[in-house]
């Protein structure tokens, strides 16, 4: 059983504004003079308030917030800005002098306040930044802001995995713990913070030997925030539905129609979005937090009756492993549900080395190099001498630029490309494909399956066909091979004759490479950022961390127009379309041969 040193009392958890660069620029642009403003919507906890706060930072604005306690009081949200008693007409007149109004929790506004916000949008003299939560009743006057096209609407997507990892970087979490938190919270940043704080307080985080990182193994703390998020959905269940969900909570995945599971009940639960059925007919809970919440409320005797022992997991784990292996054989590493392996890991139980090696290989091929190394470590804990896990660990390290072992990518990390090519042996497609990634497609082109994406990559590279390499990169990315896609785009940079096409390929290569957890391979080593002037580099660096043109101008003692002109020139040279691409480009060091 995996053990870790438990001592997390000194863990600090700063929460900087991370990611959302494109969304931040869109909101700031929408709040510029002459624009009507913007409405930002999304589920609770997704970061709407923080986004509007960052966008309005430094601006002269008024703020109002809806609250559930005051929904019956006219103009309650505006009480701090206006006299006690007044008409809607008078309220519009008074508030029209406000240049920028930030409205938070607009779904909780009283009807009079909602009508006032709507009228301010109609009159157009006040720019509005409105945040509202999806999936709850919203006053008609608020929803008509975007359905009536008075304001553009930004539906906030979940924070991507790589941005979540950046947010959690100060907490020094090992990759599997970070992935578990990301999977559990599904973009709910409030829930993420709540769970991490609860783990820190309870000692649920433990040191991983020899890494300096923290790991979470064991149950999910069922905090008040967890109950608030899941309670309404679970409280509406009848007895049969609750029994079915409880069985899944202790033993998912289950076959579609095992003894004792009623198909009518399953259909109702699926319609309500509480379960999901995969292509193989396995039933799982739809939300990863439903299981912990149900198990926490089951009671000791019920838990004893329903609990799954680790031993009977073997068949389900083998099925899961076979499914992943089959996808690999089809040259597809897109994410698939892996509830059994995730459960073993979460419980701190030994993960069979064969299963861990497959998870490590999939993660490595997806470009998740730190996660690949972490899965390999899990397999080696269960079977210290397992060669498959040892190889995956070395491959992940080699493609991260570390010189370890004697295999292909260790030689590449030393800069010995000929030695790396000479080490390629066997008929495995992915092993042969290493020659393409190393820039020598002619050595293996005839041995790659002619109808596959890897063969198309070899042919395009051998011809020096930049557009074809970009198309191959897009196909690789669609299949989940983000690192391979980054390398193909990087190779396209050197193949393109059109400078603008080369800049586009460079931008895509850098963006994908940044998602690959520190990958350093020979193809990526050729990336350059474009020839920027010293001033352009200064401005790009400041824009990448979220400063507006005006803030940059004030800091560098320039005019706003000069800043805008420098940024436009930088976009052209970098192949970037807008500010959203700058964080991917600005802080990547000029690569040197590994």
């Amino acid at each position: 059983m995996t053990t870790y040193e438990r001592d997390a009392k000194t863990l600090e958890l700063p929460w900087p504004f991370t990611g959302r660069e494109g969304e931040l620029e869109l909101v700031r642009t929408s709040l510029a003079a002459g624009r009507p403003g913007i409405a930002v919507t999304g589920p609770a906890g997704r970061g709407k308030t923080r986004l509007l706060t960052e966008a309005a930072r430094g601006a002269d604005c008024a703020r109002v917030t809806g609250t559930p306690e005051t929904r019956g009081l006219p103009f309650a949200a505006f009480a701090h800005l206006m006299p006690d008693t007044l008409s809607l007409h008078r309220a519009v007149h008074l508030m029209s002098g406000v240049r920028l109004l930030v409205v938070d929790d607009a779904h909780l506004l009283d009807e009079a306040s909602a009508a006032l916000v709507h009228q301010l949008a109609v009159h157009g003299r006040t720019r509005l930044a409105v945040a509202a939560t999806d999936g709850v009743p919203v006053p008609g006057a608020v929803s008509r802001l975007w359905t009536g096209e008075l304001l553009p609407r930004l539906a906030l997507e979940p924070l991507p995995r790589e941005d979540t990892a950046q947010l959690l970087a100060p907490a020094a979490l090992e990759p599997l713990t970070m992935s578990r938190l990301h999977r559990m919270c599904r973009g709910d940043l409030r829930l993420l913070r709540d769970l991490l704080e609860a783990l820190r307080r309870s000692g649920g985080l433990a040191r991983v030997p020899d890494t300096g990182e923290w790991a979470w193994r064991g149950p999910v703390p069922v905090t008040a925030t967890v109950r608030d998020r899941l309670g309404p959905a679970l409280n509406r269940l009848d007895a049969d539905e609750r029994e079915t969900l409880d069985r899944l909570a202790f033993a998912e995945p289950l076959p579609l129609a095992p003894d004792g599971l009623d198909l009518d009940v399953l259909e109702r639960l699926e319609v309500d979005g509480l379960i999901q059925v995969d292509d193989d007919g396995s039933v799982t809970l739809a939300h990863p937090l439903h299981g912990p919440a149900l198990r926490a409320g089951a009671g000791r005797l019920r838990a004893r009756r329903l609990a799954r022992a680790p031993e009977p997991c073997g068949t389900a784990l083998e099925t899961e492993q076979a499914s992943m292996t089959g996808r690999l054989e089809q040259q597809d590493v897109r994410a698939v549900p892996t509830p059994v392996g995730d459960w073993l890991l979460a419980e701190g139980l030994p993960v069979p080395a064969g299963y861990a090696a497959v998870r490590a290989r999939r993660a490595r091929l997806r470009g998740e190099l730190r996660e690949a190394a972490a899965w390999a470590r899990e397999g080696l804990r269960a079977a210290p001498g397992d060669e498959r896990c040892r190889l995956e660990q070395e491959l992940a390290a080699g493609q991260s630029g570390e010189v370890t072992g004697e295999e292909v990518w260790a030689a590449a990390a030393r800069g010995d490309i000929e030695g790396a090519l000479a080490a390629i042996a066997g008929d495995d497609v992915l092993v042969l494909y290493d020659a393409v990634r190393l820039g020598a497609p002619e050595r293996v082109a005839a041995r790659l399956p002619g109808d596959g994406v890897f063969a198309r990559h070899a042919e395009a590279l051998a011809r020096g066909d930049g557009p074809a390499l970009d198309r191959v990169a897009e196909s690789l990315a669609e299949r989940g091979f983000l690192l391979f896609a980054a390398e193909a785009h990087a190779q396209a940079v050197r193949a393109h004759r059109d400078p603008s096409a080369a800049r586009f390929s460079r931008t895509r290569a850098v963006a994908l490479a940044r998602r690959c957890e520190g990958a350093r391979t020979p193809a990526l080593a050729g990336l350059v950022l474009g020839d920027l002037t010293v001033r352009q580099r200064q401005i790009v660096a400041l824009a990448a961390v979220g400063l507006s043109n005006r803030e940059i101008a004030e800091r560098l003692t320039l005019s706003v127009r000069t800043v805008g002109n420098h940024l436009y020139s930088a976009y052209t040279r970098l192949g970037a379309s807008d500010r959203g691409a700058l964080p991917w480009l600005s802080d990547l060091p000029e690569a040197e041969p590994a």
Side-chain angles (χ1 to χ4, degrees):
M1 182 171 177
T2 303
T3 58
Y4 300 105
E5 174 192 352
R6 295 191 173 276
D7 178 19
K9 294 182 180 177
T10 60
L11 181 64
E12 298 293 336
L13 301 173
W15 288 90
F17 182 80
T18 302
R20 306 286 193 207
E21 289 85 5
E23 294 94 331
L24 182 60
E25 178 64 14
L26 174 62
V27 174
R28 282 177 170 164
T29 301
S30 300
L31 300 183
R35 301 293 183 90
I38 193 168
V40 180
T41 64
R46 190 154 287 181
K48 302 180 295 295
T49 300
R50 185 67 184 276
L51 177 61
L52 291 186
T53 299
E54 292 296 323
R57 188 179 299 280
D60 182 14
C61 65
R63 298 173 183 269
V64 298
T65 302
T67 58
E69 296 80 8
T70 59
R71 294 188 73 169
L73 301 176
F75 299 116
F78 289 85
H80 62 296
L81 298 174
M82 299 187 303
D84 291 341
T85 305
L86 73 171
S87 65
L88 176 60
H89 176 77
R90 178 60 177 161
V92 171
H93 177 74
L94 289 174
M95 293 304 300
S96 292
V98 175
R99 293 184 178 182
L100 173 61
L101 177 65
V102 178
V103 184
D104 197 14
D105 287 337
H107 56 287
L108 297 176
L109 289 176
D110 59 90
E111 293 296 335
S113 293
L116 174 54
V117 171
H118 186 272
Q119 287 301 307
L120 290 173
V122 170
H123 286 261
R125 289 191 290 272
T126 300
R127 299 190 298 279
L128 297 169
V130 179
T133 296
D134 288 337
V136 298
V138 179
V142 171
S143 62
R144 285 195 295 275
L145 291 172
W146 54 86
T147 60
E149 300 184 354
L150 292 170
L151 295 180
R153 180 186 185 186
L154 170 61
L156 212 54
E157 297 293 328
L159 196 68
R161 183 182 181 279
E162 57 271 16
D163 287 338
T164 303
Q166 184 180 349
L167 179 67
L168 295 177
L173 301 176
E174 56 102 29
L176 301 183
T177 294
M178 194 285 297
S179 294
R180 186 183 179 190
L181 282 165
H182 178 72
R183 185 172 62 251
M184 286 281 177
C185 297
R186 292 188 168 184
D188 188 332
L189 301 181
R190 192 180 307 165
L191 181 59
L192 177 67
R193 179 167 190 161
D194 187 65
L195 281 178
L196 198 49
E197 289 283 3
L199 289 169
R200 184 181 65 85
R201 289 194 304 269
S202 66
L205 292 171
R207 286 278 190 189
V208 181
D210 304 321
T211 69
E213 296 176 328
W214 298 91
W216 169 31
R217 302 290 186 269
V220 177
V222 183
T223 64
T225 305
V226 172
R227 293 191 186 94
D228 289 344
R229 293 288 185 273
L230 304 179
L234 300 181
N235 291 338
R236 296 192 296 267
L237 302 173
D238 63 29
D240 291 338
E241 292 168 343
R242 182 61 182 249
E243 173 68 17
T244 299
L245 289 184
D246 279 349
R247 288 190 61 183
L248 285 167
F250 283 95
E252 65 176 329
L254 288 175
L256 186 58
D259 294 339
L261 281 189
D262 189 315
L263 283 176
D264 290 337
V265 173
L266 290 175
E267 287 178 4
R268 294 201 302 271
L269 292 172
E270 186 178 26
V271 169
D272 289 340
L274 294 173
I275 65 168
Q276 54 192 17
V277 182
D278 65 18
D279 294 338
D280 299 322
S282 293
V283 185
T284 57
L285 295 168
H287 197 292
L289 280 176
H290 280 157
L294 289 165
R295 290 194 295 271
R300 183 172 297 178
L301 294 177
R302 187 174 181 80
R304 184 177 298 175
R305 173 170 67 85
L306 296 173
R308 171 177 61 187
E311 292 77 12
C313 291
T315 300
L317 197 68
E318 289 171 3
T319 300
E320 202 166 274
Q321 182 175 335
S323 175
M324 291 188 291
T325 302
R327 292 287 188 98
L328 279 171
E329 292 170 352
Q330 297 168 13
Q331 300 178 6
D332 186 346
V333 292
R334 285 172 291 186
V336 295
T338 51
V340 183
D342 294 340
W343 177 78
L344 285 176
L345 181 75
E347 293 296 317
L349 297 168
V351 178
Y355 177 90
V358 173
R359 290 293 293 265
R361 191 181 194 200
R362 280 179 53 82
R364 175 174 57 82
L365 295 175
R366 288 168 57 83
E368 297 162 355
L369 301 183
R370 293 183 62 241
E371 182 151 339
W375 274 111
R377 283 197 301 270
E378 290 296 322
L380 290 170
R381 288 193 181 99
D386 188 83
E387 288 300 320
R388 297 161 297 181
C389 290
R390 183 71 63 192
L391 175 60
E392 288 301 330
Q393 193 173 47
E394 290 183 354
L395 287 170
Q399 292 176 47
S400 298
E402 300 176 22
V403 180
T404 60
E406 297 298 328
E407 42 78 30
V408 173
W409 291 99
R414 291 193 297 270
D416 181 8
I417 302 301
E418 282 302 319
L421 291 168
I424 295 174
D427 295 320
D428 183 88
V429 171
L430 286 166
V431 173
L432 294 173
Y433 181 61
D434 283 346
V436 182
R437 299 175 60 199
L438 290 168
E442 67 283 352
R443 298 201 181 195
V444 296
R447 300 166 64 189
L448 292 169
D451 59 345
V453 66
F454 299 147
R456 297 202 306 274
H457 186 176
E459 293 168 3
L461 184 59
R463 295 196 311 268
D465 189 334
L469 284 168
D470 283 330
R471 290 193 295 271
V472 164
E474 291 168 3
S475 295
L476 288 166
E478 288 173 1
R479 293 168 177 265
F481 295 105
L482 298 189
L483 176 55
F484 298 172
E487 291 172 330
H489 276 307
Q491 291 167 339
V493 173
R494 295 181 285 276
H496 278 301
R497 293 177 176 82
D498 179 358
S500 64
R503 286 192 294 268
F504 170 82
S505 298
R506 181 187 301 115
T507 300
R508 295 298 301 139
V510 174
L512 288 167
R514 283 289 302 274
R515 297 171 63 182
C516 292
E517 300 184 354
R520 287 182 59 83
T521 65
L524 299 182
L527 289 177
V528 293
L529 300 184
D531 299 321
L532 300 185
T533 66
V534 173
R535 180 64 82 187
Q536 285 169 346
R537 286 185 178 275
Q538 282 181 311
I539 292 172
V540 164
L542 293 172
V545 297
L547 271 66
S548 67
N549 286 11
R550 183 171 298 280
E551 289 169 329
I552 296 171
E554 291 173 354
R555 181 170 297 194
L556 300 180
T557 320
L558 299 171
S559 72
V560 175
R561 175 173 293 182
T562 298
V563 170
N565 290 338
H566 277 306
L567 275 176
Y568 179 79
S569 298
Y571 293 157
T572 302
R573 295 192 183 194
L574 294 175
S577 58
D578 56 31
R579 247 182 175 85
L582 296 182
W584 301 110
L585 298 168
S586 62
D587 63 352
L588 188 72
E590 292 188 3
E592 301 173 354

